[in-house]
Amino acid sequence: MSAGTGRDLAPGRLGWADLLRVGASGLRTRPGRVVLSALGIALGVATMVSVVGISSSSKARLLDELDRLGTNLLTVTPGRTLFGDTATLPERSVAMAAGIGPVTSASATGDTGESVRRTAAIPREHTGGIAVRAASPDLPATLQTRVERGAWLNRATAEQRAVVLGAVAASRLGLRDVGDQVWIGRQWWTVVGVLAPSPLAPEIDRSVLTGFEAARTHLGFDGHPTTLYTRSADEAVGDVREVLPRTVNPENPEEVEVSRPSDALVARAAADGALTGLLLGLGAVALLVGGVGVANTMVISVLERRGEIGLRRSLGATRGQVRAQFLAESLLLSGAGGAAGAVLGTLVTVGYAAVGDLPAVVPLWALAGGAGATLLVGTVAGIYPAMRAARMSPTLALSTA
């Protein structure tokens, strides 16, 4: 008889749908506290998603730029002599570099030592960090830098007092129009063009460029290049890098330094990655704080709802069902905050990309990681309150309600 009665009073099963419904009902009774607790989770997830998204968008822009500019540009500069003085490159170094089989183009610039000013009334010392350089006719083609306004130097203008301004130089001089004049070497020079920014050769951006012949004739330039640029076949970049010093300066190859400008962009990407790791750490701290808020909310909820817990236990709910109910509430609370944070982080990334003219990239792994972190926080934050609710005695819970 007692065995049959035991079977008749067996606790009912709480399905997943019922569990979610009961958990959501518990949250709806405290909307203000739920919103504030979910906000902490949302801010943590939003920080993590937006940091990863912004970093990925910037990196995508950088990789696109690298693909466009190529990684086959090598820069040759003079090093130091045995006695510590600055070495010089031979005047024919450009032609010698161009003679290397895999090299597809070679050009150079030479520092004239002159300064540029808007007018003769400006002191000579006020250069604004702008150098006057002699430049080869095919420099833009080698650097893959376009002329934004006007035209590049041709055979005629390369022998005259004509200059092309780098992007930064034009901005600092306040010159935007072709035909403007600048004061160099106690003479007026005419601006015939303005270059677009040159990411692989930032020194060009801060330069005023003229032809080698004009620099020799009007500025007393000695004709020795100070920077040589070469483009070569991608698969031969390493070999070209090895032979360049002996080619451009056979007598003193140890006085030649060769670098690849694209390495600087790769290093910049690595630096961005390190900063991303730091910001992700801050996002994780915010998520942890949000988890503490969820745990606090659930503990208070258990204390406030002792009457409900006691009543449910008295009506036959098992400890496992009570535990599952409060754990479900914690997961739903964290999940709501995580979903809101993912949406907010995505919107921040898209907005930043739109303002910065970047491709908007939000990696799926970032969203999946945010969801995983949310569930983990919800589980950890809900375990103690759920166990505490399950351990409550029905009689004591009802008597203290």
Side-chain angles (χ1 to χ4, degrees):
M1 181 70 177
S2 60
T5 303
R7 284 194 296 272
D8 293 338
L9 297 178
R13 295 181 60 187
L14 190 63
W16 286 105
D18 295 329
L19 183 62
L20 292 176
R21 191 158 45 245
V22 171
S25 175
L27 294 179
R28 282 197 299 268
T29 60
R30 307 177 309 283
R33 191 178 299 160
V34 165
V35 169
L36 292 177
S37 298
L39 184 60
I41 297 290
L43 291 178
V45 173
T47 300
M48 298 176 72
V49 171
S50 59
V51 164
V52 173
I54 290 173
S55 176
S56 299
S57 299
S58 301
K59 190 170 295 185
R61 172 68 174 273
L62 185 61
L63 293 176
D64 289 343
E65 195 171 57
L66 274 174
D67 289 340
R68 179 178 63 83
L69 297 173
T71 58
N72 58 351
L73 178 69
L74 295 175
T75 300
V76 179
T77 55
R80 294 285 178 178
T81 65
L82 182 62
F83 301 102
D85 299 325
T86 302
T88 57
L89 295 175
E91 290 188 43
R92 286 184 46 78
S93 57
V94 178
M96 291 187 288
I100 300 175
V103 171
T104 56
S105 65
S107 57
T109 62
D111 190 357
T112 65
E114 287 289 343
S115 61
V116 58
R117 290 163 287 165
R118 284 292 304 273
T119 70
I122 299 175
R124 185 180 179 86
E125 295 78 17
H126 295 182
T127 64
I130 304 171
V132 179
R133 303 176 191 268
S136 300
D138 53 353
L139 180 66
T142 303
L143 296 179
Q144 296 185 5
T145 301
R146 61 184 178 85
V147 180
E148 192 170 73
R149 291 187 300 280
W152 178 247
L153 301 168
N154 54 38
R155 287 188 178 182
T157 55
E159 298 179 359
Q160 306 300 320
R161 294 200 304 273
V163 295
V164 174
L165 306 180
V168 175
S171 176
R172 290 182 180 175
L173 290 171
L175 300 175
R176 307 296 299 172
D177 300 323
V178 173
D180 288 338
Q181 292 192 316
V182 292
W183 185 257
I184 304 174
R186 303 192 180 191
Q187 300 174 84
W188 288 108
W189 295 62
T190 303
V191 176
V192 298
V194 178
L195 294 176
S198 182
L200 292 184
E203 66 277 6
I204 298 299
D205 293 340
R206 299 186 296 272
S207 299
V208 171
L209 305 165
T210 186
F212 269 81
E213 289 302 319
R216 285 192 182 95
T217 303
H218 302 287
L219 302 177
F221 177 53
D222 60 9
H224 288 278
T226 51
T227 306
L228 193 152
Y229 306 93
T230 67
R231 288 273 184 186
S232 54
D234 291 334
E235 64 276 5
V237 173
D239 295 333
V240 172
R241 191 172 188 172
E242 291 293 326
V243 302
L244 267 173
R246 295 185 180 279
T247 302
V248 300
N249 194 354
E251 296 182 0
N252 300 292
E254 71 282 356
E255 297 178 358
V256 177
E257 296 180 354
V258 182
S259 63
R260 181 154 58 176
S262 57
D263 290 344
L265 295 182
V266 174
R268 196 175 82 192
D272 288 345
L275 181 60
T276 298
L278 174 62
L279 294 177
L280 281 178
L282 296 178
V285 171
L287 190 60
L288 177 61
V289 172
V292 172
V294 171
N296 182 61
T297 297
M298 296 308 302
V299 169
I300 294 176
S301 176
V302 170
L303 297 176
E304 290 179 342
R305 296 161 63 190
R306 284 176 293 192
E308 174 192 337
I309 296 170
L311 181 60
R312 290 199 63 210
R313 291 295 310 281
S314 299
L315 294 176
T318 64
R319 288 187 175 184
Q321 290 173 345
V322 173
R323 188 185 307 116
Q325 173 190 346
F326 281 89
L327 191 58
E329 288 187 22
S330 178
L331 287 173
L332 285 173
L333 178 56
S334 299
V343 172
L344 180 60
T346 301
L347 291 177
V348 169
T349 300
V350 172
Y352 181 88
V355 172
D357 193 24
L358 300 173
V361 179
V362 181
L364 291 178
W365 66 263
L367 297 175
T374 297
L375 295 177
L376 178 62
V377 168
T379 302
V380 172
I383 286 178
Y384 172 71
M387 294 180 65
R388 180 169 180 171
R391 287 197 302 263
M392 277 191 178
S393 166
T395 305
L396 182 61
L398 287 172
S399 64
T400 57

